[in-house]
Amino acid sequence: MLDVARIREDFPILSRKVHGDVPLVYLDSAATSQKPLSVIEAESNFYLNANAAIHRGAHALAEIATEHYESSRAAIAHFIGARPNEVVFVKNATEALNLIAYGFSNATAKFRNGSQLLAGEERFVLKPGDEIVLTEMEHHANLVPWQEVVLKTGAVLKFIPTTDDGRLVVDNLADIITERTKVVSVVHQSNLLGTLNPVQLIGAQAKAVGAWFILDACQSVPHMSVDVTTLGADFVAFSGHKMCGPTGIGVLWGSSEALDALPVFLTGGSMIETVYFDHSTYAKAPAKFEAGTPMSAQIVGLAAAVKYLSDLGMDAIAEHEHRLTAAALSALQQIDGVRIVGPTEALNRGSAISFVVDSLHPHDVGHVLDSRGVAVRVGHHCAWPTCRRMNVPATTRASFYLYNDESEIEHLVSGILAAQKFFGVA
Amino acid sequence: MSLESMYQEIILEHYKSPQGKGLREPFAVEVHHVNPTCGDEITLRVHTAADGTIDLSYDGQGCSISQASASVMFELVQGKSVDDGFALEAEFLELMQSKGEKSGDEDVLGDAVAFAGVSKFPARVKCALLGWMAMKDAVSQNIGVGNGR
């Protein structure tokens, strides 16, 4: 059991008031989580005591900064069951997914140009008619980059369908993921619907046909114990800011084999082995994907975040959220006119809960909630096609994390009732 | 924060009973505008009649602010000259960008002054402007002065 009252002391922002003197009820952690003092202090301490450019310079401070940087990489790798050299630092999951997608377009462009491919790069060449399989519940970050790949390579997109209650249809995967499939990229846990997807099953089919298997784990890694080596994936992407870490830092995990083969994305300083006027050779992963001066302070902050989460225990966090999710689903469904968009039971489901209120637009629901201090997200949640698939223009989404408690569900419910009353639809 | 400070009664009335809603023919230009952060949408048609006045029709879905504002815009702009329509749009835009500092001239803006409170909420200003921006875009295209967006 998490001691939520104790945990909340680590997050001073949760005690602030909004709109003058209204207590804050923060139910928007699926968008971005709040940060504990230990993370803020780690970032601050780096600037106060350790700041220097890493991996260069022969002075003491540069070595101290580099030590902070690489020990942070090791800690973050350990958190996801990985080896340090399999962890690539990026800006966020969006950049991680773009990095992979560009690997395919770049390999294909080099191939068509007759350029020399590096070892393994041929595995990323796409031909017209090759298939990229996604799901009907992807965040735009795992959809739009692949639409760009299609425009550049002639590959085509296919989608694993979603049921009306927000689960993936996986009983005919072999019909969707076939010999023509070269890439399967799916969301581990939907940010809109909350669904936790059976990724091992999908990954097994991807492997059976020799396709690359990529996971958007933005909404799973912050909320449950994730060992990237057990998911059957070649690549896993997630963001630091959703898991108590700073903004501006995310992770691309790849197996050593996959990272070695993947073509470079951003190029320039720090990612090279040798440079001549007419060509260059590249460093080994992860350095070959980390061009330019990195976000050192944010990386140190993310390492503090994974320590904070580990000290509480990811299983305890998951259990806490599961209990809140079940309670919130039950309370919301007892309100006349409220409908959950996504699975209505807490089984295989995360704590992001989307819903619609009859005759009320989500923006108006969100505004009434905000007037009472309840912070939720409204809109299409960067999953606009998924909203269309679920036949809703937009939703209101409440999402819970380790610092939320049952009393906040009551605030959410009373706020929805107040919105219905205010607009005269109850 | 008082909800009534933003959701004036007049806004709720327009939301529940939107004026002029529903697409009509004939039309010279049709535009589709969206608010990409929240998915509010409006489709708006326009043609300028022989006497140079604006004839509008529209349909859309979205929050109370976006739908009520489109309704008020219709009431104000329908049948006006292009110059008067654009002047109204400029006046309303100024009110929406006032961050709560202006109350609007009721003689000019009529029911639209009810949206003055919305200007204090940056996330909702786009909602209030959706219909107006669509109108400006469509009329501009119709009279051939390029894209008004």
Side-chain angles (χ1 to χ4, degrees):
Chain A
M1 285 279 280
L2 296 185
D3 182 351
V4 176
R6 187 22 234 108
I7 287 170
R8 289 176 73 88
E9 291 173 11
D10 296 332
F11 294 83
I13 198 170
L14 297 174
S15 307
R16 69 156 288 171
K17 306 281 200 292
V18 292
H19 302 306
D21 60 351
V22 184
L24 173 67
V25 176
Y26 189 76
L27 302 181
D28 198 19
S29 297
T32 196
S33 72
Q34 298 301 343
K35 326 299 177 196
L37 282 169
S38 62
V39 169
I40 298 165
E41 284 163 1
E43 205 174 335
S44 170
N45 180 57
F46 180 83
Y47 283 126
L48 287 169
N49 295 304
N51 183 52
I54 58 133
H55 291 151
R56 69 198 74 183
H59 54 80
L61 211 48
E63 285 170 14
I64 292 168
T66 303
E67 163 57 23
H68 271 79
Y69 185 84
E70 290 304 336
S71 66
S72 295
R73 191 195 304 274
I76 293 161
H78 180 73
F79 181 71
I80 55 170
R83 292 197 291 265
N85 64 359
E86 296 171 334
V87 166
V88 177
F89 290 128
V90 291
K91 185 169 70 179
N92 47 35
T94 297
E95 183 180 315
L97 293 164
N98 273 276
L99 187 160
I100 305 166
Y102 269 87
F104 286 94
S105 332
N106 290 348
T108 306
K110 286 185 215 176
F111 175 77
R112 289 186 188 168
N113 194 44
S115 305
Q116 174 84 45
L117 295 181
L118 302 177
E121 287 187 338
E122 71 285 350
R123 296 172 63 199
F124 291 87
V125 173
L126 293 174
K127 299 190 170 64
D130 283 352
E131 292 176 354
I132 298 168
V133 174
L134 313 175
T135 76
E136 283 185 341
M137 59 172 82
E138 297 307 323
H139 188 282
H140 295 167
N142 195 33
L143 171 60
V144 182
W146 299 112
Q147 293 174 344
E148 282 291 310
V149 169
V150 162
L151 293 173
K152 288 181 265 192
T153 64
V156 295
L157 295 182
K158 282 172 78 176
F159 296 89
I160 301 172
T162 302
T163 64
D164 289 339
D165 61 349
R167 301 282 184 187
L168 286 183
V169 180
V170 290
D171 47 15
N172 60 341
L173 280 179
D175 297 335
I176 299 170
I177 300 170
T178 69
E179 299 299 321
R180 289 185 300 278
T181 306
K182 295 295 183 291
V183 184
V184 178
S185 188
V186 305
V187 66
H188 194 182
Q189 181 171 303
S190 163
N191 74 309
L192 175 76
L193 307 171
T195 320
L196 184 61
N197 288 318
V199 293
Q200 275 102 340
L201 197 65
I202 300 168
Q205 180 61 20
K207 287 296 119 183
V209 300
W212 291 105
F213 185 47
I214 302 158
L215 273 185
D216 169 3
C218 235
Q219 298 288 346
S220 56
V221 166
H223 300 285
M224 58 191 270
S225 178
V226 172
D227 180 337
V228 291
T229 62
T230 65
L231 299 172
D234 298 296
F235 299 103
V236 175
F238 58 95
S239 293
H241 71 95
K242 294 187 199 290
M243 51 190 287
C244 296
T247 52
I249 174 66
V251 170
L252 168 64
W253 171 83
S255 70
S256 297
E257 180 206 352
L259 289 177
D260 285 347
L262 182 66
V264 296
F265 172 45
L266 299 176
T267 56
S270 302
M271 53 75 69
I272 52 88
E273 181 186 56
T274 58
V275 178
Y276 304 91
F277 278 124
D278 60 346
H279 75 283
S280 300
T281 60
Y282 303 134
K284 300 238 174 299
K288 80 171 185 180
F289 298 109
E290 295 180 352
T293 299
M295 39 305 214
S296 311
Q298 288 75 17
I299 288 161
V300 170
L302 182 57
V306 303
K307 178 173 191 312
Y308 185 84
L309 295 173
S310 300
D311 288 350
L312 291 173
M314 289 310 293
D315 289 342
I317 291 169
E319 191 212 320
H320 171 75
E321 287 186 33
H322 185 76
R323 200 167 52 244
L324 284 181
T325 302
L329 285 169
S330 166
L332 287 168
Q333 290 179 95
Q334 283 167 29
I335 306 174
D336 278 343
V338 170
R339 180 169 66 85
I340 304 293
V341 179
T344 54
E345 291 175 354
L347 180 71
N348 289 330
R349 187 196 206 296
S351 62
I353 302 177
S354 273
F355 58 93
V356 290
V357 184
D358 285 349
S359 307
L360 281 185
H361 190 274
H363 233 162
D364 293 316
V365 176
H367 201 98
V368 174
L369 288 170
D370 176 58
S371 74
R372 303 163 70 90
V374 181
V376 295
R377 173 129 180 226
V378 299
H380 51 60
H381 314 283
C382 298
W384 208 339
T386 310
C387 283
R388 285 192 205 98
R389 161 63 191 89
M390 302 304 288
N391 299 312
V392 291
T395 74
T396 305
R397 183 187 70 189
S399 53
F400 300 89
Y401 205 11
L402 50 91
Y403 37 63
N404 293 116
D405 65 22
E406 278 82 358
S407 73
E408 294 178 302
I409 298 172
E410 291 166 23
H411 283 290
L412 173 66
V413 167
S414 61
I416 295 166
L417 294 172
Q420 290 179 315
K421 184 157 178 260
F422 182 78
F423 285 97
V425 300
Chain B
M1 183 192 69
S2 140
L3 283 175
E4 288 79 5
S5 70
M6 189 180 89
Y7 290 112
Q8 301 279 321
E9 194 57 39
I10 200 92
I11 294 179
L12 297 178
E13 280 172 20
H14 275 277
Y15 178 45
K16 284 168 189 163
S17 314
Q19 303 300 300
K21 191 168 177 175
L23 294 170
R24 288 183 288 108
E25 302 196 10
F27 64 94
V29 173
E30 179 178 293
V31 297
H32 181 71
H33 278 217
V34 299
N35 182 347
T37 55
C38 61
D40 288 350
E41 299 183 49
I42 187 167
T43 302
L44 184 141
R45 291 175 174 176
V46 70
H47 71 107
T48 41
D51 62 358
T53 59
I54 297 170
D55 184 27
L56 293 174
S57 67
Y58 72 97
D59 202 356
Q61 59 174 10
C63 67
S64 59
I65 301 299
S66 70
Q67 299 306 298
S69 185
S71 170
V72 170
M73 181 278 297
F74 176 85
E75 278 197 338
L76 284 171
V77 173
Q78 177 72 354
K80 295 279 182 6
S81 70
V82 169
D83 284 350
D84 287 351
F86 282 4
L88 282 162
E89 187 274 335
E91 186 85 11
F92 186 71
L93 180 63
E94 192 182 329
L95 178 63
M96 284 299 96
Q97 291 175 339
S98 73
K99 298 186 167 72
E101 297 297 314
K102 292 189 176 146
S103 52
D105 183 348
E106 194 167 356
D107 291 339
V108 178
L109 284 176
D111 284 356
V113 297
F115 291 85
V118 177
S119 72
K120 283 181 282 193
F121 299 93
R124 306 305 295 271
V125 168
K126 274 187 185 169
C127 308
L129 289 174
L130 185 68
W132 288 89
M133 291 296 134
M135 181 278 292
K136 189 182 178 192
D137 182 17
V139 174
S140 298
Q141 287 186 38
N142 190 202
I143 61 173
V145 297
N147 192 324
R149 268 187 257 189

